């Protein structure tokens, strides 16, 4: 029987369509051993994130993914500037729904389909909602997406196009999540949460596997935006699996980036706390990472500290300047994604340091 384990109290839970957190309120992880990484097996699969299927906690004879995939993954790794040959951007907005969230959404929706789910509810600042809507359509599963009433009209249009029902909520990102969770409990349906459901990280960990293949090894440093930590934790877990299989000598240092106007993890890191305390959020252009109370803050802080990483906070004008600079180099990203490059510009790198920066969402999605 597949099981979850609570990250707080250690209680075990069977994996069921309605289980999304522990009774103690803790977040859940999947009970599993480190997967054996068989590089020779990768060529047996399509050139997508499903090359790494055998490292994911699915039955080895599962074929569900074949009818759901849209070829997500294997995004390009590009030298950002000829004068900075050791710095690459990974263009993760070149995905079916134009953001990295497709990595986690496809894996989570396939798990929902295997559990026989007929409806999912999700909350999002936009990109995850779009990804869930698209893959729910591929799975023939009904989908409600809870969003802010100030979400980019372009993201709303994209979600509607995939047939999902939109629930617009006035309030903070935490208010939106609370409304979705209330509906999940009342309707007793599957909560497609990129925060709470650990299957999402089984998708985002493929970011690390792809970088390993593209570089023929690990970089020195990963610069990663962090709100709820979906990409950061996935990258950490992916490189951890590669390390534990003896394929790399060390895990890359994680440099986590937050907007200064909403930076609970930066504060917790600076004060040495194990868990981030909620902050009062000021307005930020980086809506995708404006999370005042990240549910997996303990794991995020552990990941950064375990890799000898650090946190950097970014001011609003720095975000816009970084976005303009990326556009001048040919990369048109949404505003939140520009935080990553702004972090890179502030980061004090050393000579020959191999650095990877994700470009998480396409600029066409922004307001």
């Amino acid at each position: 029987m597949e099981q979850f384990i609570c990250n707080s109290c250690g209680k075990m839970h069977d994996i069921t369509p309605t289980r999304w957190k522990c009774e103690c309120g803790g977040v859940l992880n999947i009970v599993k051993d480190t997967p054996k990484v068989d590089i020779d097996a990768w060529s047996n699969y399509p050139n997508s994130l499903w090359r790494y299927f055998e490292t994911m906690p699915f039955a080895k004879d599962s074929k569900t993914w074949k009818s759901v995939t849209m070829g997500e993954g294997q995004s390009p790794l590009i030298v950002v500037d000829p004068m900075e040959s050791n710095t690459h951007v990974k263009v993760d907005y070149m995905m079916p729904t134009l953001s990295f969230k497709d990595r986690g959404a496809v894996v989570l929706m396939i798990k929902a389909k295997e559990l026989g789910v007929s409806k999912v509810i999700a909350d999002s600042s936009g990109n995850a909602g779009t990804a869930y809507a698209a893959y729910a359509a591929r799975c023939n599963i009904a989908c409600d997406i809870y969003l802010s009433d100030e979400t980019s009209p372009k993201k709303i249009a994209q979600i509607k196009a995939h047939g999902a029902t939109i629930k617009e909520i006035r309030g903070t990102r935490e208010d939106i999540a609370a409304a979705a969770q209330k509906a999940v409990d009342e309707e007793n349906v599957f909560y497609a949460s990129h925060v709470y459901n650990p299957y999402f990280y089984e998708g985002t960990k493929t970011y690390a596997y792809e970088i390993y293949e593209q570089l023929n090894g690990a970089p020195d440093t990963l610069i990663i935006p962090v709100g709820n930590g979906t990409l950061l934790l996935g990258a950490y877990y992916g490189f951890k699996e590669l390390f534990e299989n003896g394929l790399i000598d060390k895990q890359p240092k994680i440099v986590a980036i937050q907007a200064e106007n909403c930076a609970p993890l930066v504060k917790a890191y600076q004060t040495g706390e194990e868990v981030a305390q909620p902050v009062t959020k000021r307005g930020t252009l980086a809506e995708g990472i404006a999370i005042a109370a990240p549910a997996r803050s303990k794991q995020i802080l552990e990941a950064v500290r375990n890799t000898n990483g650090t946190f950097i906070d970014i001011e609003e004008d720095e975000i816009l300047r970084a976005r303009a600079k990326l556009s001048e180099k040919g990369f048109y990203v949404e505003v939140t994604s520009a935080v990553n490059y702004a972090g890179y510009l502030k980061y004090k790198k050393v000579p020959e340091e191999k650095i990877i920066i994700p470009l998480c969402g396409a600029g066409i999605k922004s307001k």
Side-chain angles (χ1 to χ4, degrees), residues 13-31:
H13 300 274
D14 290 344
I15 297 176
T16 65
T18 56
R19 170 65 63 186
W20 60 272
K21 68 176 180 178
C22 183
E23 286 90 349
C24 77
V27 295
L28 303 174
N29 300 320
I30 301 168
V31 177

Side-chain angles (χ1 to χ4, degrees), residues 3-5 11-26 28 115 184-185 188-191 196-198:
Q3 288 191 306
F4 290 139
I5 183 169
K11 184 175 180 179
M12 308 283 272
H13 300 274
D14 290 344
I15 297 176
T16 65
T18 56
R19 170 65 63 186
W20 60 272
K21 68 176 180 178
C22 183
E23 286 90 349
C24 77
L28 303 174
L115 288 170
V184 165
D185 291 341
N188 201 34
V189 297
F190 186 93
Y191 185 26
Y196 284 93
N197 196 305

Side-chain angles (χ1 to χ4, degrees), residues 4 9 13 28 30 55 65 89 96 138 169 231 302 324 367:
F4 290 139
C9 73
H13 300 274
L28 303 174
I30 301 168
T55 71
W65 63 271
V89 289
R138 298 283 292 170
I169 305 295
L231 182 57
E302 285 175 353
K367 293 179 183 178

Side-chain angles (χ1 to χ4, degrees), residues 17 25 42 58 129 191 252 310 332 360:
W42 292 351
F58 289 106
Y191 185 26
T310 190
Y332 185 49
C360 298

Side-chain angles (χ1 to χ4, degrees), residues 254-326:
I254 294 176
V255 177
I257 314 299
Q258 291 210 289
E260 185 181 53
N261 283 1
C262 187
L265 292 160
V266 173
K267 184 177 180 182
Y269 175 79
Q270 291 173 342
T271 57
E273 294 174 272
E274 290 187 4
V275 177
Q277 300 304 310
V279 298
T280 300
K281 181 166 57 181
R282 293 174 286 160
T284 176
L285 295 166
E287 63 178 9
I289 57 170
I291 308 299
R296 290 188 183 267
S297 68
K298 181 180 179 182
Q299 290 166 276
I300 294 166
L301 290 161
E302 285 175 353
V304 173
R305 287 169 174 147
N306 287 350
T307 61
N308 296 313
T310 190
F311 283 83
I312 297 174
D313 54 5
I314 301 299
E315 297 175 6
E316 297 300 293
D317 60 340
E318 292 177 304
I319 298 172
L320 293 177
R321 286 201 301 269
R323 190 185 191 213
K325 286 184 178 182
L326 276 175

Side-chain angles (χ1 to χ4, degrees), residues 128-161:
T130 303
Y132 284 131
Y135 289 106
R138 298 283 292 170
C139 292
N140 295 312
I141 293 174
C143 179
D144 288 354
I145 304 294
Y146 283 70
L147 294 167
S148 166
D149 60 357
E150 297 179 355
T151 300
S152 165
K154 296 175 183 178
K155 292 179 181 178
I156 290 175
Q158 195 178 4
I159 292 168
K160 284 182 176 178

Side-chain angles (χ1 to χ4, degrees), residues 32-141:
K32 61 170 190 167
D33 296 325
T34 299
K36 181 180 183 298
V37 178
D38 180 3
I39 293 175
D40 293 335
W42 292 351
S43 60
N44 297 330
Y45 296 87
N47 189 35
S48 69
L49 64 78
W50 295 102
R51 280 171 70 77
Y52 318 113
F53 169 76
E54 292 184 12
T55 71
M56 300 178 191
F58 289 106
K60 297 311 175 195
D61 59 351
S62 172
K63 301 291 190 292
T64 309
W65 63 271
K66 292 186 175 182
S67 63
V68 179
T69 180
M70 292 190 281
E72 54 288 322
Q74 299 302 327
S75 59
L77 194 67
I78 309 292
V79 173
V80 69
D81 188 310
M83 302 300 291
E84 302 173 68
S85 60
N86 284 318
T87 298
H88 292 74
V89 289
K90 188 153 173 63
V91 193
D92 251 26
Y93 61 69
M94 291 181 67
M95 295 274 187
T97 76
L98 308 181
S99 92
F100 85 91
K101 290 285 178 37
D102 287 357
R103 291 186 184 277
V106 66
V107 173
L108 182 50
M109 288 307 305
I110 286 168
K111 185 61 184 178
K113 186 172 183 178
E114 290 192 347
L115 288 170
V117 167
S118 59
K119 179 179 178 178
V120 302
I121 289 175
D123 54 89
S124 169
S125 61
N127 285 337
T130 303
Y132 284 131
Y135 289 106
R138 298 283 292 170
C139 292
N140 295 312
I141 293 174

